[in-house]
Amino acid sequence: MDLGISGQTALVLGGTQGLGLACARSLAEAGVKLLVNGRSAAAWEAARGSLPGATFMQGDLAKPEDRLRIIDSAQSLGPVSILVTNAGGPPTGEFLDFDDAAWQQALNANMLAPLALMRAVLPGMCERGWGRIVNITSSSVKAPIPSLHLSSGARAGLTGVVAGVAREVAGRGVTINNLLPGAFATDRLLHAFAPRAAKAGVSVEEMTRQRSAAIPAGRFGDAAEFGATCAFLCSAQAGYITGQNVLIDGGAYPGVF
Ligand SMILES: NC(=O)c1ccc[n+]([C@@H]2O[C@H](COP(=O)([O-])OP(=O)(O)OC[C@H]3O[C@@H](n4cnc5c(N)ncnc54)[C@H](OP(=O)(O)O)[C@@H]3O)[C@@H](O)[C@H]2O)c1
């Protein structure tokens, strides 16, 4: 299927590994010119082979000064017509474990950073009459997950703002949607299992088996499935989909809405 976005320019934040990288790859397959962000040059070196022609924008999205630098360098290369926001999730833990500083950090990386990037690209998108924004959030927005309080809080804030802004810019050819991953077999997820498996007294393999079995699809998601959905939301054909929270979780969330 021709997604009708060949030649557009996308800025993919947190795009050197996992779900962000999968989004970048699917956009590259659709002929999109890519600007890819991440903190680690080593991760970029590992990823760049699958993203020919992409430009790396190194920087930490949790740092306002890095955000400004990334925005400036991206816009100096031409108009950004597709924005995918992503960063690593905040730490897990009990509610009582986290003080104000921990909350500030989570809000900064997972709410303020995507909002800052949206503010930077939206005026140009509206002026040109076309744009696509996809924020990678989490299934925890639909149903809070134990130990993911920082993630639930920061992402709920972002989700609330997107619900309003998406409607404000819908008439200008710009769509904004959130993609909510359930369990995807990325390095991040598999690493997160190690301490949980130790706490439960089972091996990581056993915990992986149990977690997969609890998902109606009977497996974790493949990042390529996530990337393909992201590219579709960025497509010409998806111009009437906006302000949505698209859950990709193999049926794990049991609710009707
Ligand atoms: N995988 C899942 O099952 C799952 C489920 C629910 C929600 N999520 C959420 O989806 C997002 C992506 O998950 P993932 O599994 O793909 O994670 P991942 O494999 O750890 O990849 C995260 C990407 O973001 C970059 N990154 C992290 N922090 C950054 C920062 N402060 N500034 C710039 N780049 C940053 C990482 O590169 P560097 O480390 O080099 O910066 C990497 O490219 C996370 O927010 C996660 O919480 C994932």
Side-chain angles (χ1 to χ4, degrees), residues 14 16-17 19 37 39-40 60-61 86-89 155 182 184 186:
T16 56
Q17 297 174 74
L19 303 179
N37 155 261
R39 291 166 303 181
S40 148
D60 183 344
L61 297 170
N86 179 42
R155 298 186 201 278
F184 278 79
T186 61

Side-chain angles (χ1 to χ4, degrees), residues 13-21 37-44 56 59-63 70 86-90 105 109-110 136-140 145 148 151 155 179-189 226:
L13 302 163
T16 56
Q17 297 174 74
L19 303 179
L21 174 59
N37 155 261
R39 291 166 303 181
S40 148
W44 167 244
F56 182 45
D60 183 344
L61 297 170
K63 296 183 180 163
I70 292 162
N86 179 42
Q105 174 71 11
N110 296 104
I136 299 180
T137 63
S138 172
S139 64
S140 68
I145 300 170
L148 284 179
S151 171
R155 298 186 201 278
L179 263 184
L180 284 53
F184 278 79
T186 61
D187 285 351
R188 173 184 164 79
L189 184 81
F226 192 90

Side-chain angles (χ1 to χ4, degrees), residues 24-25 28-29 32-34 44 47-55:
R25 283 182 176 144
E29 282 167 19
V32 169
K33 185 177 149 196
L34 279 168
W44 167 244
R48 67 186 303 172
S50 63
L51 299 172
T55 303

Side-chain angles (χ1 to χ4, degrees), residues 68 96 167 205 232 244 247:
L68 285 177
L96 296 180
R167 274 83 190 178
E205 291 72 26
F232 177 72
Q244 301 304 302
L247 185 59

